[in-house]
Amino acid sequence: MTPSPGLAGGANPFAVWWHSTGFDTPDRTDLTEVAIAGGFVLLCLVAGVMAGRHLGPVIARWWKDHVAGHHEPAWGEGVAPRLCAIVRHGTAALLLELLLAVYPWGSFAALPIGIALGLAAAFTAHQILRGLGLPRWIGWSVALIAFVALLSQAVGGLDPITAVLERIGINIGRRRLSVLTVITMMLTVVVLFAIVRLANRVIAHWIARTGSLDATQKLLAQKLISIFVVIAAFFFGIDLLGIDLTTFAVFSGALGLAVGFGLQKTVGNLIAGIILLMDRSIKPGDVIVVGQEAGRVNRIGVRAVSIITRDGKEHLIPNENLMTQEVENWSFSDRNVRVRIPVGVPYECDLRVAQQLMLQAARESPRVLNSPKPNVWLTSYGDYAVEHEILAWISDPEGGVGNVRSDVLNRLWWLLKDNGIDIPVPRRDIRIIERREPPDREI
């Protein structure tokens, strides 16, 4: 430290305090180096802006075509809209890191480089985590940690900060839980969670683009690979954090036994869902009847199958129930479904004409198939009408059967009216018999 000539006599109080702290005072060479470093920092930031403006849209289009697909909106805001910002900040951070590594900058010149590098890396991390759907507070927390770590590394290293964070903590048995340990665990969990989400999305899009698999096989492959990715990330995180699982052998055995009893239904539903996807007895898009409810299978989840009825209600039926109970699948091997429509005509009408009108009403309905052809059966002679059934076939049971029945009956109503055939209604004949009293006998 070079003493300033102004320290004697009427010295500047700030200069006196500065020298008393032990920090060096920048000389002309240091100021020149700071100016040069600032110029390079501006060049790196300008290069990042240009990369985000020209390269960002290209990467965003590639991302939508090869990674995101049609599933991007499920992540909230999504990665694609943020790729221009990610490319801008990431390019600046990479160039600033190279700038810091290629030349041994002094402490004063390294300060602006470290600040710019920390901010660029923090914004990059925040944009990526928010694009992957993580909460806002997690994104900003990781961004703050990245800024502090990179700035400290640029101006003097992380050892002083890590030493302070390690001293703050408590001892639990033979292990020490410090602030540094908590931060490291949090960062590891966040990073692994983000990698798992990204890997699952990339794999799901890759499987969805595979033409050799049908929809059920694609769904099964996605679920199995997702489970494998989560398990691999868990063990990788355990190894990365240096957690020794042998120390928890007894505790984990008791916990596993308790969890096994408590989650046996959950595990059973998981296995049942995988079996349903493997044997393809129930698959997304099928129309099934469970109990008294009929609906379209929306998705097969880890725990339950989502079924949407024609009323718009979504029923969640446990996978295990579909394995053990009787289920009526309208589209298991053939999507054609026959609709039975009961109709009664009066005894006085011409049955041949009435039956032809029934066939005409069925053929004119837009959802009724021409092959197999609709048919009309005479089922019984009722109390007041000749009972028939119109048998019509449809190939889209997910659209409902009640609306087909309603459409055919509406058309038949007007056809019968136009041909002078009335709809029979119950009739009751009432006979009134007058009862005569016998004459009084004389006594």
Side-chain angles (χ1 to χ4, degrees):
M1 179 176 64
T2 306
S4 174
L7 290 177
N12 187 352
F14 178 76
V16 174
W17 171 82
W18 177 265
H19 285 280
S20 65
T21 58
F23 292 110
D24 292 335
T25 302
D27 54 16
R28 186 181 299 274
T29 303
D30 294 331
L31 295 177
T32 302
E33 192 177 28
V34 168
I36 295 174
F40 279 115
V41 167
L42 290 178
L43 289 178
C44 293
L45 296 179
V46 171
V49 171
M50 297 300 295
R53 182 175 301 175
H54 298 285
L55 189 60
V58 177
I59 298 178
R61 287 193 296 269
W62 178 88
W63 181 275
K64 289 182 178 180
D65 293 337
H66 297 85
V67 179
H70 300 289
H71 305 282
E72 186 76 68
W75 297 1
E77 300 178 18
V79 175
R82 297 174 175 268
L83 274 175
C84 291
I86 293 173
V87 171
R88 179 171 63 250
H89 300 308
T91 302
L94 180 61
L95 294 177
L96 289 168
E97 182 65 31
L98 292 175
L99 177 64
L100 195 62
V102 296
Y103 182 79
W105 300 95
S107 56
F108 291 104
L111 181 60
I113 300 177
I115 293 175
L117 174 61
L119 290 175
F123 286 130
T124 303
H126 178 264
Q127 293 288 344
I128 292 176
L129 295 179
R130 288 294 296 151
L132 291 175
L134 274 73
R136 191 181 303 273
W137 67 272
I138 292 181
W140 284 119
S141 299
V142 174
L144 178 61
I145 294 173
F147 173 76
V148 174
L150 292 175
L151 177 59
S152 302
Q153 182 182 6
V155 297
L158 291 172
D159 292 339
I161 294 180
T162 55
V164 173
L165 295 178
E166 184 64 34
R167 285 198 298 267
I168 304 174
I170 56 175
N171 294 322
I172 303 177
R174 291 180 297 177
R175 298 184 64 88
R176 178 171 177 79
L177 183 63
S178 62
V179 176
L180 179 62
T181 304
V182 173
I183 293 176
T184 303
M185 293 178 63
M186 186 191 77
L187 280 177
T188 303
V189 170
V190 170
V191 171
L192 288 178
F193 183 76
I195 292 175
V196 167
R197 294 203 69 173
L198 181 60
N200 285 336
R201 184 54 58 200
V202 173
I203 294 172
H205 184 69
W206 175 72
I207 294 176
R209 292 169 61 93
T210 303
S212 59
L213 302 177
D214 58 19
T216 305
Q217 293 172 338
K218 291 177 181 179
L219 182 59
L220 176 61
Q222 290 174 8
K223 290 189 177 299
L224 292 178
I225 293 177
S226 298
I227 294 173
F228 174 76
V229 170
V230 171
I231 294 175
F234 172 76
F235 285 105
F236 181 76
I238 292 295
D239 181 70
L240 190 64
L241 294 174
I243 299 177
D244 188 8
L245 294 180
T246 58
T247 58
F248 301 98
V250 178
F251 174 75
S252 60
L255 180 62
L257 184 62
V259 170
F261 281 109
L263 298 180
Q264 57 181 343
K265 286 292 184 182
T266 303
V267 176
N269 286 323
L270 173 62
I271 297 176
I274 294 176
I275 293 175
L276 289 175
L277 291 173
M278 290 180 64
D279 66 2
R280 302 175 61 189
S281 57
I282 295 176
K283 51 189 178 295
D286 283 352
V287 179
I288 65 175
V289 179
V290 181
Q292 300 297 325
E293 293 290 339
R296 178 180 57 85
V297 178
N298 182 31
R299 67 180 182 86
I300 300 178
V302 175
R303 187 190 66 84
V305 174
S306 170
I307 299 177
I308 301 178
T309 65
R310 293 293 298 168
D311 297 331
K313 299 177 182 178
E314 187 167 3
H315 296 262
L316 299 178
I317 301 177
N319 297 332
E320 201 171 16
N321 291 359
L322 299 179
M323 290 288 297
T324 57
Q325 296 181 4
E326 181 179 352
V327 179
E328 182 180 342
N329 192 340
W330 290 358
S331 52
F332 176 58
S333 58
D334 188 0
R335 295 187 59 82
N336 290 349
V337 174
R338 188 168 65 177
V339 183
R340 296 175 177 267
I341 308 172
V343 177
V345 294
Y347 281 95
E348 297 81 8
C349 73
D350 188 341
L351 287 184
R352 293 190 182 91
V353 175
Q355 291 170 357
Q356 289 298 325
L357 294 177
M358 295 178 197
L359 288 175
Q360 181 181 348
R363 294 192 191 101
E364 291 178 353
S365 183
R367 290 181 56 196
V368 173
L369 299 178
N370 294 325
S371 178
K373 296 180 179 180
N375 199 1
V376 174
W377 285 0
L378 193 155
T379 57
S380 66
Y381 300 111
D383 295 335
Y384 59 91
V386 182
E387 304 294 342
H388 293 77
E389 266 192 347
I390 303 176
L391 305 179
W393 291 85
I394 61 174
S395 61
D396 52 350
E398 65 276 2
V401 295
N403 49 8
V404 176
R405 186 179 293 111
S406 174
D407 182 69
V408 173
L409 290 177
N410 271 291
R411 295 174 185 274
L412 181 59
W413 172 277
W414 295 109
L415 289 175
L416 293 176
K417 289 291 185 182
D418 293 342
N419 288 270
I421 301 177
D422 296 329
I423 303 297
V425 294
R427 295 178 180 179
R428 295 292 183 267
D429 294 334
I430 301 176
R431 296 182 180 181
I432 302 176
I433 302 176
E434 183 180 357
R435 181 179 179 183
R436 295 181 180 181
E437 295 292 337
D440 296 338
R441 293 182 180 180
E442 296 181 358
I443 300 176

